[in-house]
Amino acid sequence: MSPIHPLGAEQLSRRSDPTRLRFETTAELEPLDRAIGQDRALEALQFGVSMRAHDFHIFAFGAAGVGKREAVRSILVSRAKREPTPPDWCYVHNFASPQRPRCLSLPAGRGRRFRDDMRQLVEELIAAIPAALETEEFRTRKDTIESEAKRPHEDALQKLAKDAGERQLALIRTPVGIALAPVKDGEVVSPDDFEKLPEDDKKRLAEAMKELEKVLESIIRRIPEWEKERRSKVRALVREVTTFAVGHLIGDVRARFADLPAVVAHLEEAERDIVENAAELIGGAAGGPEEPGFAGRYRVNLLVDHAGTEGAPVIYEDHPTHRNLIGRVEHHSVQGALLTHFGLLRAGALHRASGGYLILDAVRVLSQPFAYDALKRALRAREVRIESLGDSLGLVSTQSLEPESIPLSVKVVLIGDRMVYYLLSALDPDFGDLFKVGADFGEDLEWTDASAELYARLVATLVRQHELLPLERDAVARVIEHAARRAEHSSKLSVDLRDLTDLLREADHFAKETGKGRVDRSSVDRALEARIRRRDRIRERAYELIQRGTVLIDTTGAKVGQINALSVIDVGGFAFGRPSRITARTRLGKGQVLDIEREVELGGPIHSKGLLILQSFLSTRYAADQPLSLSASVVFEQSYSGVEGDSASSAELYALLSSLAEVPLGQSIAVTGSVSQMGQVQAIGGVNEKIEGFFDVCRLAGLTGQQGVLIPRANVQNLMLRPDVVAAVKEERFRIYAVTTVDEGIEVLTGLPAGERDAEGRFPEGSVNHRVERKLLHFAEQTRRFAQDAREGRSP
Amino acid sequence: MNSTQPEARRPRVSAAWGVGGATLSAVEAAAEIAARLGGDLEARLIEDANLIRLALLPIGRQLASHTGRVEPLEPLRLEAELRTSADRARQILARTAAGRQLHWTFTVVRGSIERELGAAAGVADLLIIGRHPPLITLAQIETLGCSVLWLSEGLSARAPVALVVEAGDRGVDFARQTARAISRGVVREISAARGIAAALGEAAGGVLVLSANSRLLSGEEARQALSRGSASILVCRPPTAPFPEKSRPK
């Protein structure tokens, strides 16, 4: 096996060459009109918005900060401008069924006119109807009706009075009615005189009274009938006069909306209702929006007003609650009771977006009770029905409404991260039926000269958007290098716009603080350093513990069964690498590698999987034809929290091999990488942070020139290391080895050959593999001996 | 002040009504008109002596309007109902007068209606009598010595006032003055020559003002027509002293 050489400094980080950027400052660059590196997502979005089918809604997903919302909005706004403006929607009183307000659709902008016309109409009616009912002509006719209505009653009473008079009786008014009384000389007979009357006369008077009382009774009984007739005639008169008075007022409004049959039909119903209820209309105040009075029933609740909308609407609902999505029924309190009417219906985002586009944050929709269900129901039914959540759940029993639903034609774009998209796809059967278009936003793009130019234009665009100082070419180059570091790849650039924007704003701040008119490279560097400085207290504390010897990490010397592994700690968005000591102990046993982390439930499943893989590697490489008579234990020393991931599995294997071979491992080399059953070292994440973490610990202890990190070769492409690390490598004060196999790694760590099997299948004497195999054979032999002794009854 | 002219004084307005029917609305309207005239109101509720006597008879019965049934007319119950009517009338009067700064008195009298009306007319410049139920006929009104407003139900504040004018009628000036005083709107003057029907038409729902000397009051036929109409009838008779200008409504 050829010796493994450390990587050259040029392999550790890709620099952006400012001379390849063809501008002096970003002020010279044209802004971008579309998101870069998102061609797939943009194509999906374009497809989704152009598909007019009702169930081709869109889910735009990707990591936070990659510009999903801006890209979606940009595409939608651009397309919406070319599309027709949808109609206005109004709710009006339903004269046939007041609990079910009717909805009316009017061309965009005419809803407002309709509302204003009806408001004015009501005001005019309240003045015009009383005026019509106070004309002398009306009163003359009404009085004629009144007096004619009284005539039968009065005539009947007059005739009765006459008949009574002829029989010595008179009609007398009592507090509650009418009485018949015997009279003599115009006065009622006194009790004494009555007593003196002959019995025949008394009997005659009593019979006459009884007879006339029957007539009187029939007259009085007919009074309600005459009253009814009178009321009916007066009502008919009022109706006739009101019809005349309101006819031309409503006619004016009707003429303005003659092209809208539904509006005309409503006006005709309103006219009939006004005529029927003129007394209530003029008796009740016009009222306000909360308490509209009787006149409020003729008003118009303009639910969706597109008077100021150009093209189709693009609505972003920031707080997608159930009520904010599908609208709500408000109530007002009247003497403790909650009342409502159609004027208190309020539009939701779906109403406002109908005929256009609605952008929603998926997590926010999902986290609001019943909002997602309501959204799906509306999209499936293609209509929005305003429904109070309390009512639909039967939680409240206040007066409520069942407004007519409004047809819905909308393209919904949900925005969220990948996990949400995949979970919804997997768990919600409706999701796939409605959100058929997934727009997958990537996190990075290939770093080429062309993409670097585009990236520079992206920087220029953001600088303009946020009114920042222009960046010099050098500064842009530094920003590009940072983007590659964010992408964790030397040939990719991160498109995390949130991070990029923040960096530009921070660099602008530092440039302005030092009185510069442009952002130079040093301002970007300072912004990056300050950002780390603000967040690295935990890292500093972790390194201090190592430096003080509280956490035991050797960076020099060599130890059997002990190695430095590397892990990444991510705290509040700041990630840093930290070395951890792994130790392995081996002895005769039953073929088990004990994962102590797992035993105490500190090891995650992936970590445990790594241990099982290396157990398999050991048994197949060294004990393929005999029992693996090994008992080994592996532990992360001084680890008091969970361990997850398999990036330490190669380190664990090296520690085991060292223990078995009884060969010391160099403590100046930290290791990262996962391992396969075949002994291949595989790529891991966070390679830059891990290397830098060990570098920082070594620097604090003193760089010896022997220290370094062993990484999987597959991770070389991910290297975008800090300039100080690159400089140390260049000056041979630090080393980075990239390996493909465990054998390569063990050679770096032990300085001994790993050893390859010869034609007879034997490892070379003295090689690490030979020592391991010899130890395992020894364990197997011991096991056999113990087993034989046991069978023959001998004590071991 | 011209010493030949009688001294101006506040008009004396009396209002009289019996029990039952639409008397309470008449009380309210009387108070309103008295206030418009700037006069003092003497209101009297006349309890018909005949009614009291009937209640004492063994055959005394009444037909209740609200049930349409015949029931005994019991003296104690009648007294209670009369007291209730009086209390209610007093309350309405007090409420109406309070808002109009009207000086008023209220009396309940028991006796003959004709006699009590005559007594009220004797001390009043204007006597207001409710038409429903009728206490008196138009012919009887002409015999009273003061102006009489025969008040219909439902006289509104904005009711029209029509004044019948005829040549040579010496009372027309006073009738005009009174018509203006009780009217808040325009007083429409119409010639007596147009006849009774035209006059009633102009005053429909409001007040028809006639001088006591008007020929429209002469003859049974004219009286019948006026009695059948719905307008209130004001029969004007000049008082011994004119009403002061300041007493007119503003």
Side-chain angles (χ1 to χ4, degrees):
Chain A
M1 190 180 296
S2 55
I4 304 300
H5 297 290
L7 296 174
E10 71 288 351
Q11 293 175 280
L12 305 185
S13 181
R14 180 175 170 185
R15 298 294 116 188
S16 172
D17 183 359
T19 60
R20 297 175 85 103
L21 298 171
R22 291 168 295 178
F23 57 90
E24 284 301 315
T25 74
T26 53
E28 301 161 23
L29 298 175
E30 286 293 315
L32 286 174
D33 56 1
R34 56 179 283 157
I36 61 169
Q38 305 293 3
D39 291 347
R40 178 184 288 106
L42 297 182
E43 280 169 28
L45 281 174
Q46 292 287 8
F47 167 75
V49 295
S50 58
M51 276 294 286
R52 298 318 300 175
H54 68 90
D55 50 354
F56 273 67
H57 300 285
I58 302 165
F59 195 114
F61 59 95
V66 297
K68 298 184 291 293
R69 188 177 305 164
E70 290 75 11
V72 166
R73 181 180 283 277
S74 168
I75 283 180
L76 296 186
V77 166
S78 159
R79 186 178 177 89
K81 276 182 192 164
R82 305 192 301 269
E83 294 182 345
T85 305
D88 294 339
W89 286 97
C90 303
Y91 269 112
V92 293
H93 184 71
N94 185 337
F95 297 101
S97 177
Q99 292 303 108
R100 290 181 50 78
R102 292 181 56 204
C103 62
L104 293 177
S105 162
L106 294 95
R110 291 181 70 187
R112 191 180 287 186
R113 179 76 190 269
F114 182 44
R115 178 195 63 191
D116 295 346
D117 280 1
M118 289 303 282
R119 185 186 294 155
Q120 194 179 345
L121 173 68
V122 167
E123 285 167 10
E124 286 173 357
L125 287 174
I126 288 171
I129 294 173
L133 298 180
E134 284 181 10
T135 59
E136 290 184 15
E137 293 76 9
F138 169 77
R139 271 203 299 261
T140 301
R141 288 191 60 188
K142 182 168 176 268
D143 284 348
T144 306
I145 292 169
E146 301 273 4
S147 95
E148 281 175 358
K150 281 177 190 161
R151 195 163 297 158
H153 174 224
E154 286 176 354
D155 286 352
L157 281 178
Q158 222 166 23
K159 185 174 179 305
L160 181 67
K162 194 179 166 194
D163 291 349
E166 288 169 359
R167 300 166 83 163
Q168 283 80 50
L169 294 169
L171 284 178
I172 294 181
R173 185 70 64 165
T174 74
V176 296
I178 300 174
L180 282 158
V183 290
K184 187 178 179 186
D185 301 329
E187 287 195 346
V188 173
V189 176
S190 70
D192 289 345
D193 290 345
F194 186 79
E195 280 305 315
K196 290 173 190 166
L197 287 174
E199 282 305 313
D200 283 354
D201 285 359
K202 284 184 190 172
K203 193 175 173 186
R204 182 183 50 77
L205 277 173
E207 283 173 359
M209 282 174 71
K210 195 176 268 181
E211 190 182 323
L212 292 176
E213 274 169 2
K214 280 187 183 163
V215 177
L216 182 59
E217 196 175 332
S218 76
I219 292 169
I220 286 182
R221 283 189 185 279
R222 289 187 65 194
I223 288 175
E225 187 187 321
W226 291 328
E227 266 299 301
K228 186 180 171 189
E229 191 181 345
R230 180 190 67 80
R231 282 198 303 271
S232 167
K233 285 180 178 170
V234 170
R235 202 178 299 125
L237 174 65
V238 169
R239 199 178 293 132
E240 192 182 344
V241 172
T242 311
T243 303
F244 178 71
V246 306
H248 71 277
L249 294 175
I250 292 189
D252 289 348
V253 181
R254 191 161 38 217
R256 282 195 285 276
F257 297 94
D259 56 327
L260 303 172
V263 176
V264 170
H266 172 71
L267 287 170
E268 283 167 0
E269 280 187 57
E271 184 174 4
R272 282 195 290 277
D273 192 75
I274 289 165
V275 168
E276 288 298 322
N277 299 289
E280 285 85 349
L281 175 60
I282 59 178
E290 291 299 313
E291 177 58 56
F294 191 85
R297 67 201 296 172
Y298 307 114
R299 292 209 169 146
V300 171
N301 177 1
L302 180 55
L303 197 75
V304 180
D305 180 9
H306 284 306
T309 309
E310 288 177 14
V314 177
I315 304 293
Y316 172 68
E317 177 53 61
D318 185 50
H319 188 43
T321 59
H322 180 273
R323 55 195 261 137
N324 287 353
L325 278 178
I326 67 159
R328 62 190 186 277
V329 184
E330 293 186 343
H331 291 76
H332 63 94
S333 175
V334 178
Q335 296 179 339
L338 291 176
L339 303 180
T340 188
H341 52 82
F342 75 92
L344 293 177
L345 294 170
R346 300 287 179 254
L350 283 167
H351 294 101
R352 292 194 298 277
S354 189
Y357 303 91
L358 176 60
I359 307 170
L360 297 169
D361 184 296
V363 170
R364 290 184 193 176
V365 173
L366 292 166
S367 60
Q368 291 295 334
F370 304 101
Y372 182 54
D373 281 345
L375 174 67
K376 287 193 296 182
R377 196 161 50 244
L379 294 180
R380 265 198 311 266
R382 283 185 275 169
E383 61 180 30
V384 201
R385 184 186 300 277
I386 297 178
E387 191 178 30
S388 149
L389 194 53
D391 285 339
S392 59
L393 295 177
L395 297 177
V396 291
S397 59
T398 54
Q399 179 195 359
S400 195
L401 299 171
E402 297 169 31
E404 285 182 357
S405 53
I406 288 180
L408 178 66
S409 167
V410 68
K411 182 74 71 178
V412 174
V413 183
L414 286 179
I415 296 175
D417 62 29
R418 281 203 171 74
M419 185 57 75
V420 174
Y421 177 75
Y422 294 138
L423 283 174
L424 284 172
S425 301
L427 302 176
D428 179 15
D430 297 334
F431 180 74
D433 290 341
L434 292 170
F435 292 87
K436 292 186 188 295
V437 182
D440 188 349
F441 281 74
E443 283 83 43
D444 47 42
L445 74 158
E446 283 298 318
W447 181 2
T448 63
D449 284 350
S451 67
E453 290 282 351
L454 278 176
Y455 206 87
R457 284 178 62 195
L458 171 63
V459 169
T461 306
L462 294 172
V463 163
R464 284 196 184 94
Q465 270 177 12
H466 294 273
E467 298 177 347
L468 307 175
L469 293 175
L471 271 75
E472 292 178 355
R473 189 166 50 184
D474 270 1
V476 173
R478 181 68 188 95
V479 169
I480 289 173
E481 287 166 8
H482 172 72
R485 170 62 188 253
R486 288 282 300 175
E488 291 191 0
H489 209 288
S490 57
S491 59
K492 289 191 184 295
L493 297 175
S494 162
V495 287
D496 184 343
L497 297 183
R498 187 183 301 167
D499 176 78
L500 175 58
T501 306
D502 288 347
L503 175 60
L504 295 177
R505 291 165 68 190
E506 289 162 22
D508 172 86
H509 168 79
F510 287 114
K512 284 175 181 165
E513 199 175 63
T514 50
K516 292 172 184 167
R518 303 193 296 202
V519 175
D520 59 7
R521 188 181 185 99
S522 67
S523 300
V524 178
D525 280 336
R526 197 174 160 198
L528 289 169
E529 286 160 11
R531 183 183 275 188
I532 292 169
R533 172 70 185 152
R534 289 195 298 272
R535 299 173 177 177
D536 78 341
R537 195 189 67 80
I538 302 289
R539 179 177 71 170
E540 204 173 274
R541 178 78 179 139
Y543 294 169
E544 185 187 328
L545 289 172
I546 293 171
Q547 193 181 14
R548 288 178 184 272
T550 307
V551 173
L552 298 173
I553 297 292
D554 291 336
T555 56
T556 56
K559 293 276 176 63
V560 174
Q562 176 178 308
I563 194 166
N564 290 324
L566 293 166
S567 57
V568 174
I569 296 172
D570 195 332
V571 186
F574 175 64
F576 63 92
R578 190 189 67 168
S580 298
R581 174 179 290 177
I582 292 177
T583 59
R585 308 287 283 173
T586 51
R587 65 181 185 84
L588 183 65
K590 294 180 179 176
Q592 287 179 326
V593 177
L594 181 66
D595 178 4
I596 291 179
E597 308 299 330
R598 186 183 177 186
E599 291 299 311
V600 296
E601 298 182 349
L602 283 175
I606 298 173
H607 178 257
S608 300
K609 178 187 171 189
L611 257 296
L612 293 172
I613 287 172
L614 69 88
Q615 183 177 339
S616 168
F617 168 77
L618 283 176
S619 55
T620 52
R621 170 176 268 200
Y622 302 109
D625 53 358
Q626 60 185 323
L628 183 64
S629 305
L630 164 75
S631 177
S633 59
V634 179
V635 67
F636 272 70
E637 302 287 359
Q638 293 183 292
S639 164
Y640 306 105
S641 56
V643 175
E644 180 55 315
D646 63 354
S647 69
S649 61
S650 65
E652 289 164 330
L653 179 57
Y654 294 137
L656 273 174
L657 294 178
S658 164
S659 176
L660 286 168
E662 297 176 21
V663 173
L665 297 171
Q667 299 300 298
S668 56
I669 304 291
V671 174
T672 185
S674 69
V675 69
S676 74
Q677 289 193 107
M678 312 304 289
Q680 289 169 314
V681 176
Q682 300 164 146
I684 43 78
V687 66
N688 292 301
E689 286 81 1
K690 287 173 177 171
I691 293 171
E692 288 165 358
F694 193 64
F695 174 79
D696 287 337
V697 168
C698 292
R699 187 171 56 184
L700 288 170
L703 290 173
T704 61
Q706 300 303 311
Q707 293 142 332
V709 178
L710 191 64
I711 64 169
R713 183 160 294 281
N715 278 119
V716 172
Q717 61 187 337
N718 301 114
L719 293 177
M720 281 300 294
L721 290 167
R722 278 185 343 225
D724 57 336
V725 181
V726 177
V729 169
K730 202 169 188 176
E731 293 161 11
E732 297 186 350
R733 292 187 292 126
F734 198 70
R735 299 175 179 193
I736 294 164
Y737 297 95
V739 296
T740 311
T741 64
V742 171
D743 288 341
E744 289 175 358
I746 201 73
E747 288 188 1
V748 172
L749 291 165
T750 61
L752 295 174
E756 292 177 30
R757 289 190 191 277
D758 58 19
E760 295 173 0
R762 295 196 189 103
F763 288 114
E765 191 79 25
S767 67
V768 176
N769 285 332
H770 179 260
R771 293 176 187 221
V772 170
E773 190 172 56
R774 189 177 61 195
K775 174 62 75 68
L776 290 173
L777 283 172
H778 171 69
F779 283 159
E781 181 58 33
Q782 286 288 94
T783 302
R784 263 196 303 275
R785 198 179 309 145
F786 286 142
Q788 192 173 358
D789 288 349
R791 279 196 303 275
E792 294 170 3
R794 289 196 297 269
S795 301
Chain B
M1 185 180 288
N2 187 340
S3 61
T4 62
Q5 290 287 322
E7 193 178 345
R9 56 175 173 72
R10 292 167 68 85
R12 293 167 303 196
V13 181
S14 283
W17 63 93
V19 295
T23 54
L24 295 177
S25 64
V27 173
E28 199 170 4
E32 171 69 32
I33 287 168
R36 287 189 204 176
L37 288 168
D40 298 328
L41 178 67
E42 183 198 75
R44 61 178 70 193
L45 171 63
I46 303 170
E47 293 175 353
D48 190 350
N50 279 330
L51 176 61
I52 308 301
R53 207 174 288 142
L54 174 62
L56 298 172
L57 293 180
I59 57 169
R61 290 194 299 269
Q62 66 174 342
L63 194 132
S65 304
H66 58 290
T67 62
R69 294 186 183 283
V70 175
E71 56 187 45
L73 191 60
E74 295 168 357
L76 288 177
R77 191 162 151 193
L78 176 65
E79 290 290 351
E81 287 168 352
L82 288 171
R83 275 198 302 277
T84 304
S85 291
D87 288 347
R88 199 180 301 140
R90 185 185 284 113
Q91 284 166 9
I92 289 173
L93 196 55
R95 192 173 63 227
T96 311
R100 294 165 178 79
Q101 295 180 319
L102 174 70
H103 295 283
W104 59 280
T105 59
F106 179 78
T107 320
V108 179
V109 292
R110 183 171 288 182
S112 155
I113 286 179
E114 288 82 359
R115 208 162 29 247
E116 294 302 330
L117 285 178
V123 296
D125 297 311
L126 173 64
L127 175 61
I128 301 171
I129 307 171
R131 278 184 65 173
H132 304 286
L135 290 179
I136 193 170
T137 64
L138 203 52
Q140 288 169 312
I141 285 171
E142 290 175 40
T143 64
L144 296 172
C146 68
S147 298
V148 177
L149 174 57
W150 204 35
L151 200 59
S152 290
E153 284 180 67
L155 181 68
S156 77
R158 295 171 65 185
V161 174
L163 170 66
V164 175
V165 182
E166 52 192 301
D169 183 356
R170 286 179 293 123
V172 78
D173 287 343
F174 175 71
R176 183 177 287 122
Q177 184 188 349
T178 310
R180 284 179 186 155
I182 64 170
S183 166
R184 283 189 169 171
V186 176
V187 175
R188 185 170 296 170
E189 296 194 2
I190 57 167
S191 168
R194 288 179 58 195
I196 197 84
L200 283 169
E202 292 291 348
V207 184
L208 180 63
V209 183
L210 298 155
S211 160
N213 306 316
S214 174
R215 60 189 163 91
L216 292 190
L217 283 170
S218 61
E220 187 55 30
E221 197 175 328
R223 289 195 195 104
Q224 283 282 335
L226 289 172
S227 299
R228 283 175 173 276
S230 62
S232 300
I233 311 290
L234 174 57
V235 178
C236 279
R237 211 177 288 277
T240 52
F243 299 158
E245 286 298 316
K246 64 179 180 183
S247 71
R248 292 179 190 172
K250 305 291 183 289

